[in-house]
Amino acid sequence: RKEVEQDPGPFNVPEGATVAFNCTYSNSASQSFFWYRQDCRKEPKLLMSVYSSGNEDGRFTAQLNRASQYISLLIRDSKLSDSATYLCVVNIGPGNTGKLIFGQGTTLQVKP
Amino acid sequence: DAMVIQNPRYQVTQFGKPVTLSCSQTLNHNVMYWYQQKSSQAPKLLFHYYDKDFNNEADTPDNFQSRRPNTSFCFLDIRSPGLGDAAMYLCATRLDRGVGTDTQYFGPGTRLTVL
């Protein structure tokens, strides 16, 4: 089993749609969680950090369920500019190493 | 202003010819990471420096080495590149101040082609 698993997609949605991505992780000791966005041939950029049960930033909402080892990202009112790959990232530690494990990413295509 | 800088952005080398990729940061972060990302795959951690302490991942090939001469700079040396080493190499930094400071900031990456 992969340490961080995501549905690779692609998710093709119309502008204005609401879309949700799921991510599961295997290490129950994981300390913190992130969603990064990566555009084609560019570096990952931090979208959201999740330390407790969830986080919200404008149209983006992340939720964490530690019991089920599951993280989700919800995007409301999708824009064309949201088209990208969304990486689920888990900090598995230990201690202060800050070791991040990346999921394969979920590709989103927002269509006009 | 760029905070994590990688040079060059594109590097072409020949099979077996040593190559060095560089990363510099203006953030004064104490932790620096090198990742390898192949096409359609997740970034994979090769190693990291916590201050001057080098931490190698168990599955990183010996072909990959790193140097951190000071806080600002970190280098990735590939001693004998093979065709399978063609990838995007990402440098990332982090300022460790305890719990809640595990966000990593990525440079734009160096895309390595091996001929």
Side-chain angles (χ1 to χ4, degrees):
Chain A
R1 182 185 174 188
K2 290 181 181 177
E3 291 185 270
V4 180
E5 289 201 75
Q6 295 180 252
D7 179 348
F11 283 62
N12 294 298
V13 303
E15 268 187 295
T18 295
V19 61
F21 306 139
N22 301 323
C23 172
T24 57
Y25 61 95
S26 61
N27 188 334
S28 59
S30 298
Q31 303 170 12
S32 49
F33 310 86
F34 307 86
W35 283 100
Y36 276 77
R37 169 193 170 129
Q38 188 171 27
D39 292 286
C40 188
R41 302 176 77 84
K42 298 288 181 86
E43 76 274 23
K45 292 190 176 177
L46 180 66
L47 183 64
M48 301 186 77
S49 305
V50 185
Y51 294 99
S52 57
S53 60
N55 196 0
E56 184 171 333
D57 183 4
R59 298 183 293 110
F60 299 85
T61 301
Q63 290 194 314
L64 169 65
N65 184 323
R66 286 187 188 269
S68 301
Q69 295 179 206
Y70 168 98
I71 315 141
S72 65
L73 178 68
L74 184 75
I75 305 175
R76 291 180 295 276
D77 189 22
S78 300
K79 312 290 185 191
L80 295 176
S81 57
D82 294 334
S83 298
T85 296
Y86 291 83
L87 300 167
C88 174
V89 185
V90 176
N91 178 358
I92 65 169
N96 63 358
T97 62
K99 179 173 179 176
L100 300 183
I101 301 296
F102 287 75
Q104 186 181 1
T106 298
T107 299
L108 172 66
Q109 276 287 342
V110 182
K111 308 281 189 183
Chain B
D1 291 335
M3 296 180 289
V4 183
I5 302 161
Q6 290 189 245
N7 285 306
R9 295 290 308 277
Y10 300 90
Q11 175 73 57
V12 180
T13 191
Q14 291 179 332
F15 183 95
K17 185 174 180 182
V19 66
T20 295
L21 310 182
S22 76
C23 177
S24 63
Q25 50 132 337
T26 60
L27 300 165
N28 206 31
H29 284 180
N30 58 334
V31 194
M32 293 186 77
Y33 304 82
W34 278 104
Y35 292 85
Q36 178 193 65
Q37 186 177 24
K38 296 186 177 179
S39 182
S40 301
Q41 295 185 22
K44 180 179 178 297
L45 182 65
L46 295 173
F47 26 58
H48 76 276
Y49 274 93
Y50 192 104
D51 294 323
K52 294 181 180 179
D53 294 332
F54 178 70
N55 297 273
N56 199 27
E57 292 300 301
D59 56 355
T60 298
D62 292 340
N63 197 24
F64 292 87
Q65 305 284 318
S66 187
R67 296 169 283 135
R68 189 179 187 186
N70 53 54
T71 300
S72 300
F73 285 86
C74 195
F75 299 98
L76 169 62
D77 300 308
I78 308 176
R79 294 193 296 189
S80 182
L83 298 179
D85 296 328
M88 172 82 95
Y89 289 88
L90 294 160
C91 173
T93 73
R94 177 174 73 94
L95 179 63
D96 180 45
R97 285 183 173 173
V99 174
T101 62
D102 43 9
T103 299
Q104 294 185 17
Y105 298 87
F106 284 83
T110 294
R111 187 165 294 279
L112 178 69
T113 300
V114 182
L115 301 177

